[in-house]
Amino acid sequence: MNFGNLELLPLSDGFFRLDGGAMFGVVPKPLWERRAPADERNRIRLGIRPLLIRGERTMLVDAGIGAKMDPRSVDIYGIDRAHNLDHALAEAGVSPAEVDIVLASHLHFDHAGGFTSSDGGAVVPRFPRARYVVRTAEWEDATHPHERNRASYLQENFVPLATAGVLDLVPGDETIMPGVRVVRTGGHTMHHQIVMIESGGRTAVFAADLLPTTAHVDEPWIMGYDLYPMDTLAFKRTFVREAIDREYLIVFEHDPEVAAGYIREENGRKRVERVA
Ligand SMILES: [Zn+2]
């Protein structure tokens, strides 16, 4: 997708499955299963879609689950990486060494798993020339996990970046490269951030876990995984209004079908007009 001076390319690291109830929080199953059918283990299918941005530099936003998950987790999360980020990058004609910047929305394993790879035992940065950009307070939370978030923050996904000296911590809402800036949403994690991409008078947004799928556009459809769901609600109310009024192109990281679209409102009902 050409977007002003930038090129945006939603990639794929395959699919995985999470508990449908946990994905929709307080929404009852008879309602959510119409939007996202559950399998025999009550899981719904989710995409894993890092975003490649080519501009002044080549940037990858999030990097999927990666190949380090153990067989038990692969089973529990139904991880299917038959077609994964390696394939998607090759199809896009981008070698891992061409990636200049890897930007994290947050450090949960389904976003940061692909930041590192296992090199015959040692875990090393997967993109050999890249600087990895992480929000400072998200880094602090991820490296000091508690009982509620420990299963999501797998240290091997990000600690090796610090060891290798390729980590850039960014304290606030800042421009990461021309046309690309981060905005903290909180909610999902205290310092979860989205990526605003602005070029040629248009705005695209990598919404990460603020709007993981098109089924999450309605305000109360908030994940049970969110640590601070009322903060998600507050941010989402303002953001979705703005996205409709200003016609933001939204990139949905976890939607199994829709990579990107516009949120439209007709007669008080919201829907997503798919563009990719
Ligand atoms: Zn997450």
Side-chain angles (χ1 to χ4, degrees):
M1 287 190 283
N2 285 316
F3 201 78
N5 302 324
L6 304 171
E7 190 188 336
L8 307 183
L9 191 55
L11 303 177
S12 172
D13 195 39
F15 296 90
F16 73 131
R17 290 171 183 271
L18 290 174
D19 185 89
M23 278 305 288
F24 294 109
V26 298
V27 178
K29 185 171 181 180
L31 298 184
W32 63 251
E33 72 178 346
R34 286 192 232 147
R35 297 187 187 181
D39 69 8
E40 69 290 350
R41 291 159 85 176
N42 207 48
R43 302 172 306 182
I44 64 166
R45 188 166 185 256
L46 296 164
I48 311 167
R49 219 175 276 113
L51 178 68
L52 185 76
I53 307 175
R54 297 175 104 164
E56 201 162 279
R57 324 202 55 200
T58 297
M59 176 189 282
L60 188 63
V61 184
D62 289 352
I65 286 186
K68 301 189 306 303
M69 296 296 271
D70 60 83
R72 183 168 168 270
S73 301
V74 169
D75 173 57
I76 289 175
Y77 297 116
I79 297 169
D80 168 10
R81 296 183 68 256
H83 183 274
N84 61 49
L85 187 60
D86 292 335
H87 306 119
L89 283 168
E91 286 159 17
V94 177
S95 82
E98 285 173 61
V99 176
D100 301 306
I101 302 169
V102 179
L103 172 62
S105 63
H106 63 304
L107 293 172
H108 285 168
F109 70 80
D110 50 321
H111 303 255
F115 286 3
T116 60
S117 58
S118 179
D119 172 27
V123 175
V124 298
R126 179 181 178 191
F127 299 94
R129 282 187 45 259
R131 301 297 302 180
Y132 287 74
V133 178
V134 179
R135 200 174 183 97
T136 310
E138 173 69 15
W139 176 267
E140 287 303 315
D141 286 351
T143 51
H144 300 83
H146 52 64
E147 293 82 350
R148 178 78 201 282
N149 63 16
R150 187 164 289 137
S152 298
Y153 283 136
L154 308 183
Q155 304 297 303
E156 62 178 6
N157 291 339
F158 41 83
V159 170
L161 306 175
T163 311
V166 297
L167 180 68
D168 289 333
L169 295 177
V170 169
D173 292 350
E174 290 179 24
T175 295
I176 309 300
M177 77 172 184
V180 181
R181 63 187 173 94
V182 293
V183 173
R184 187 181 86 97
T185 69
H188 181 63
T189 69
M190 181 70 89
H191 302 282
H192 174 272
Q193 61 191 6
I194 55 177
V195 182
M196 308 286 287
I197 302 146
E198 292 149 330
S199 189
R202 297 168 68 202
T203 301
V205 183
F206 183 84
D209 281 345
L210 175 69
L211 301 173
T213 77
T214 55
H216 290 86
V217 167
D218 288 320
E219 279 81 1
W221 294 60
I222 290 172
M223 291 193 280
Y225 294 112
D226 287 11
L227 291 177
Y228 309 97
M230 292 307 291
D231 293 348
T232 307
L233 177 62
F235 194 94
K236 198 166 146 177
R237 261 195 202 128
T238 314
F239 176 79
V240 169
R241 186 73 262 150
E242 208 176 277
I244 294 167
D245 294 344
R246 301 185 194 168
E247 297 200 294
Y248 292 166
L249 177 64
I250 308 293
V251 178
F252 296 96
E253 189 170 12
H254 290 311
D255 196 285
E257 314 282 345
V258 178
Y262 294 98
I263 306 174
R264 305 291 188 199
E265 191 173 39
E266 282 156 13
N267 308 317
R269 291 177 74 97
K270 297 181 187 73
R271 64 178 183 85
V272 173
E273 178 190 326
R274 180 182 187 168
V275 301

